[in-house]
Every structure is written in C-alpha cells, then in structure tokens.
Amino acid sequence: MATRSVTVLTVHGRRQTVKVDPNMTILQILETVCRKYSFAQDEYDLLHHNKALDLSTMFRFSGLPNNAQLEMAKAKRARTEDADVTVQLQLEDGSRTANGTFRPAQTLLEVLEALCAERATAEAHPVLVYMRCEVYWEQLGTTTLKSLGLTRGRAVLRLLQRRPEEPKTQANVSAPLPVVPAVSVPVPVRPPTSVPSNEPVPQEPAPPPTVPQPEPDVPPAPPEPIVTQPVAVARPLEPAKPRPEARIVVLGERDALLYHASTAERDQADVADSFFELTVPEMMQLYKQLQERVKALEDAPLLTGELRELERNQQLLSNMSRYRQAVIRVQFPDRHVLQGVFQVYESVGHVVEFVRAYLAEPTQSFSLYTTPPKVVLQPSATLLDAGCFPQVLLHFSPDDEGPGASPGCLLRPALLDRLSNATGAAVVAARVKRALPDGGPVDAGTHPAVSFPSGDDAHASGGSAVEPRAGTSAGPANRIPNRNFRQSPSTASPSTSEREAKILKFLKK
C-alpha cells in the first residue's frame, strides 16, 4: 500500500509534511504538527480550501486527497475536554450493553471493563471496532477515545473475539453466520483395467469383498487421474423451504395486524465465493449499461418546473387510479411490526393515533421516520406528501429515550399473545390493494405475486413509483414536448386541464 501524506502550513509560515494512514484522525495530524513546533493544539484548527475540518473525522472519511495542502488557523474558541462521550458496546450476537459515560482521555480498556467486564481478559481475545479501526487486546490499554476521534456525543463500538493472527473476516452485526467447514477427503484411485504383459504388476493389498450389485449396461468409465492433494467436498445446496402458512389475527380497526420481523426471514443457501466475482463479460455489460444511462440523462430534454410538477401529478393520478388505500407498517425497536390500512386522504397524524392505541403507555411521546436517509414525518403532512402511498415501512422512535434507557417492548403485553406472521400480513395487504385498473380487488390466491415487502427488505418501499399500466395509450398529456417548445398556460390541452382539475378537487378534500 502506497504511503499517504499531507502538507500543513503552520502559523509562522513553515510547511510540515505528515505521513498519514487511513485510520488516522485529523486531530492526530494537528497534534503531530503542534508537537513539532511546540504549539498549543487546543487553540488551532486545520483548514482545507478555507474550510475548517472536523477534527474527529478519520482521514479515510474526510474526503482529503493524497498530498493535500492544509493550513493551520487560530480557532474561534479553544477546545476543552469537559464534554463526556456516551459509549455502548454491540456484541457479536447483535445485543447491546448498557450505556456508559466516559471522558475522552480514558482508554478503551477502561471502557471494556466498565461495560463488559467478563470479556476484559486476555484469554477472551477481545477486539473493539470503531468505523474500520480494529483495536486488539494489546492496544486497548494505550488507545484512548480521543485517539479514535471521540471527543463528544455518542458512539457504538463493536466487540468481537478473535486473535490478531486469525484472518480478517466480515463482522456480523445482527447474528453470526453458521460456518460450515469443508471436509477434505482423498480422491479414490481406480486401478487400470489392463496392464501390459512386459511390465510387472505392482502388488497392492486386496480391498475388502463387496456384494456385487446389478448395474445397467453402460460403457466402462475411463480411469480417473491420480490426485495426491485432498479436495474440498462442497455441501450440496438445500432446496428452498416452502413459505409458511399464513396466520392472520386481526387486532382491531384498520385490519390491524402485529407480527415479528423474524417470521419474514428465510434461510439462505450457501454459495461459493466465485459467485460474487465479476467476469470480463459481466464487467463489459455493466459498463455498457452505465454508458447507456449516462447517454439517456444527457439526451433528456430540459423541463421547466411546471412540466415536472405536471408529470408528478400525472404519476400521482395514475397511482390513485390503481390503489385506493395505503398499507402502512410501523417497525418498533424490538422488531415487532404493526400493520394498518389507511385512506389516501388521511395524514401522518392518523397513523400516530393508530400506533398510540397499541402502546403500553399511550401518553408516550414518539416520532415516525423513514430510512434511508432518515426523514422524520410531521403529523400534519398527508400520506401523499410524505411518500407513504401506496405502501411504506416506518420506524418508531421514542422521543424521551435517555442515555440509560433500555430497548424493551413498547407494546401492550396482551398483544404479544395475538401475533400473526409475515405471510399473513402480506395476504391482508394484497387484499386491500387495488392493483387492477377496473377497481377489482386483488385476491391473494389468484395473484400470489402481489405481496408487500416485509422485515428488513422493506426499507426501500416508501414512495416508490408504480409502473404505468400496460396498454395505456399515449395522449397529449403523456408526451414530453420538444426541448425548444415552451408550453403556454393559455394553450393547455383539454385533457391536461381535466387532469389538473381532478388533482385540485382531490387535494381540497
């Protein structure tokens, strides 16, 4: 790996070159220069193109190129280490420890001893991972939170158990994957069918007698080559398990259902590592697709704000003609999912009241958000404006969650005895969705392909555009005008005016 470096212009006009590694923080670069010239590091900042850098950021995430030119400048306010850092450890099984408050000058060994004392031994081989920086047992006593860039705020450190000499493997956040070791067996060698008469026949021990089995008349197979090295026998892929039977337990109004996200998870078959390696034809195909996408974006006509808003309204009308109701799912921190059916004209506040009816503490303050990226929904926003139509997965976030709060069950305990499963929730969602232009309801038995994304695979479902129906004729409102043509409001087509009137009439409800 090539060495990287940055050049820092000091306050007295000298230039200092500092060698950096990807896990080095900007604060460590500043400390290196300050120790060289005996400066007070708490009184200076580092600038890049007249922009102050975040000193807690690692070099790999700072966006700085190699041989970047940095400049020291007087800080507007001297930095102090009075702020505390809230740290939480995440174990290999996905569980998390209680929160702990530490000073930036404290070492990672003190953090480990305070939050998980049973793992703070050399025999346990603990490894703390922050970002991509791995700190092993030998460095825990000398590595501080400040050296990792943690001078304030909150942070989650992953706690693993492995030796430094072991090969680095992917760390599993949710649950460790089962490791199936390859079984090495020698390849049996068949003796040749015939031996020339002029060569001596080697004497080998006779194999144990076997009972002859009748075999069909097939030509004899050629002798296999002699292989001295053992080969790994790959485990055959297991057939996919059938989908579990639907279990539906309606809790109340809006076809409310409650299930656990683990019921939507399926066992994945193990594949070889070569499956994820791209070949030359695949790389050429991806490059060609990327070129076509760039060309399509470059050749796209320039649209005014009015035309873009008109296309958005047309897409909205197309969705409204296909679906009359919205299926909303709210996932809680303990991975329980609450599903309900809402009308198109309702708002996020109706969803909030729906969720509040099933909480153990109805007066609890909370918010709903979508991810990624995290966008907190306002109760006054409509489902259409929030992108919750026709389906979405929201996340529940308590507003009064303190540093010492433990993630427990927020729902009423009686509801945990009336759980459905993900298959049943998909069946109910398919029944309430209108996927046909004529308004006929969708039957889950006749249309099994219509399903709602569930569990952790539903993060990208919110606000997704619905493909236009097949067989729809392209009218004047569906055509994109010429790039040199500017549509005048006085020359609007009758179909366009009729569509806009429908939109305004619907939004005024």
Side-chain angles (χ1 to χ4, degrees):
M1 180 177 179
T3 59
R4 302 180 181 180
S5 61
V6 296
T7 303
V8 181
L9 177 63
T10 62
V11 291
H12 58 293
R14 296 187 179 182
R15 297 183 183 272
Q16 177 66 32
T17 302
V18 181
K19 295 182 178 180
V20 298
D21 59 81
N23 294 330
M24 193 173 183
T25 61
I26 306 299
L27 179 60
Q28 291 177 332
I29 299 178
L30 178 61
E31 290 176 349
T32 303
V33 179
C34 291
R35 284 195 301 266
K36 176 73 174 179
Y37 297 103
S38 301
F39 291 148
Q41 59 185 9
D42 296 335
E43 300 178 0
Y44 295 93
D45 285 336
L46 286 181
L47 305 181
H48 183 246
H49 295 307
N50 295 329
K51 182 180 179 181
L53 299 177
D54 186 3
L55 300 181
S56 63
T57 306
M58 292 185 180
F59 181 79
R60 68 164 75 242
F61 301 118
S62 63
L64 296 176
N66 190 20
N67 299 325
Q69 302 291 329
L70 305 182
E71 181 182 357
M72 286 182 60
K74 199 72 173 180
K76 298 181 180 179
R77 184 177 58 182
R79 293 183 300 275
T80 59
E81 297 184 2
D82 297 337
D84 294 333
V85 182
T86 303
V87 181
Q88 189 180 60
L89 298 183
Q90 181 173 1
L91 306 182
E92 289 183 290
D93 57 356
S95 61
R96 295 189 179 186
T97 62
N99 295 343
T101 304
F102 304 91
R103 308 292 294 181
Q106 290 185 265
T107 62
L108 297 183
L109 182 59
E110 297 177 358
V111 175
L112 182 60
E113 291 176 348
L115 299 181
C116 190
E118 61 274 9
R119 304 286 181 90
T121 57
E123 293 76 11
H125 303 287
V127 181
L128 290 180
V129 182
Y130 179 69
M131 298 295 185
R132 293 188 179 179
C133 182
E134 299 182 356
V135 183
Y136 291 88
W137 168 257
E138 290 77 8
Q139 294 84 25
L140 290 180
T142 57
T143 305
T144 61
L145 294 174
K146 183 178 180 181
S147 62
L148 297 180
L150 299 176
T151 56
R152 63 183 182 276
R154 300 182 179 183
V156 177
L157 306 181
R158 290 186 302 185
L159 177 58
L160 307 179
Q161 287 183 301
R162 67 182 182 203
R163 296 180 177 86
E165 61 271 9
E166 293 182 358
K168 296 184 178 180
T169 57
Q170 175 66 32
N172 302 292
V173 178
S174 59
L177 297 176
V179 180
V180 181
V183 181
S184 299
V185 297
V187 176
V189 180
R190 297 182 181 178
T193 54
S194 60
V195 179
S197 58
N198 56 353
E199 295 182 2
V201 179
Q203 300 294 332
E204 297 181 357
T210 57
V211 179
Q213 299 291 339
E215 298 180 357
D217 297 334
V218 294
E224 298 181 2
I226 299 176
V227 180
T228 57
Q229 299 180 354
V231 296
V233 179
R235 186 180 66 175
L237 298 178
E238 300 179 356
K241 295 183 179 179
R243 197 170 187 177
E245 185 179 356
R247 174 181 173 84
I248 302 175
V249 181
V250 180
L251 301 179
E253 299 179 355
R254 301 184 182 273
D255 293 336
L257 295 178
L258 181 65
Y259 67 95
H260 199 270
S262 60
T263 59
E265 300 174 354
R266 298 185 182 181
D267 296 337
Q268 299 181 355
D270 297 335
V271 295
D273 295 340
S274 59
F275 176 80
F276 302 97
E277 298 177 357
L278 293 178
T279 59
V280 175
E282 292 175 345
M283 289 292 298
M284 295 177 63
Q285 183 179 3
L286 292 176
Y287 182 69
K288 183 179 180 181
Q289 293 176 356
L290 183 60
Q291 284 183 325
E292 293 176 354
R293 183 179 178 184
V294 172
K295 187 176 184 299
L297 293 176
E298 292 178 350
D299 297 343
L302 298 178
L303 301 179
T304 62
E306 296 178 357
L307 292 178
R308 287 194 296 268
E309 184 66 20
L310 180 60
E311 289 186 356
R312 177 181 176 275
N313 294 336
Q314 290 177 358
Q315 185 65 41
L316 185 61
L317 284 177
S318 176
N319 292 347
M320 290 166 53
S321 63
R322 298 184 61 182
Y323 304 101
R324 297 299 184 189
Q325 295 174 321
V327 180
I328 309 296
R329 289 181 175 176
V330 180
Q331 180 169 334
F332 293 84
D334 57 354
R335 302 192 67 192
H336 279 94
V337 181
L338 180 64
Q339 174 179 304
V341 181
F342 297 83
Q343 301 298 326
V344 181
Y345 54 82
E346 294 186 281
S347 63
V348 179
H350 294 86
V351 182
V352 173
E353 296 301 327
F354 168 72
V355 175
R356 191 181 302 277
Y358 294 92
L359 295 179
E361 295 292 339
T363 59
Q364 181 179 4
S365 177
F366 64 92
S367 60
L368 302 177
Y369 66 91
T370 58
T371 183
K374 182 177 180 180
V375 178
V376 180
L377 304 182
Q378 300 298 328
S380 59
T382 62
L383 296 181
L384 291 175
D385 296 337
C388 300
F389 176 81
Q391 57 193 22
V392 73
L393 176 68
L394 306 179
H395 294 268
F396 182 95
S397 176
D399 294 340
D400 55 351
E401 184 179 3
S406 58
C409 184
L410 303 173
L411 298 168
R412 292 183 300 189
L415 299 176
L416 302 182
D417 298 333
R418 304 177 60 189
L419 294 179
S420 305
N421 58 1
T423 306
V427 171
V428 174
R431 289 176 182 175
V432 300
K433 287 168 55 179
R434 290 184 54 189
L436 298 179
D438 55 357
V442 177
D443 188 2
T446 58
H447 299 274
V450 180
S451 61
F452 191 94
S454 58
D456 298 334
D457 300 332
H459 292 289
S461 61
S464 59
V466 182
E467 297 181 358
R469 301 188 300 272
T472 304
S473 60
N478 294 331
R479 291 197 298 265
I480 298 178
N482 189 281
R483 66 178 63 185
N484 298 323
F485 172 75
R486 182 175 182 181
Q487 187 175 2
S488 176
S490 59
T491 60
S493 60
S495 60
T496 302
S497 302
E498 184 180 356
R499 288 176 179 268
E500 292 179 350
K502 289 182 179 180
I503 295 174
L504 294 175
K505 181 180 179 181
F506 174 77
L507 295 179
K508 288 180 180 179
K509 290 183 179 180

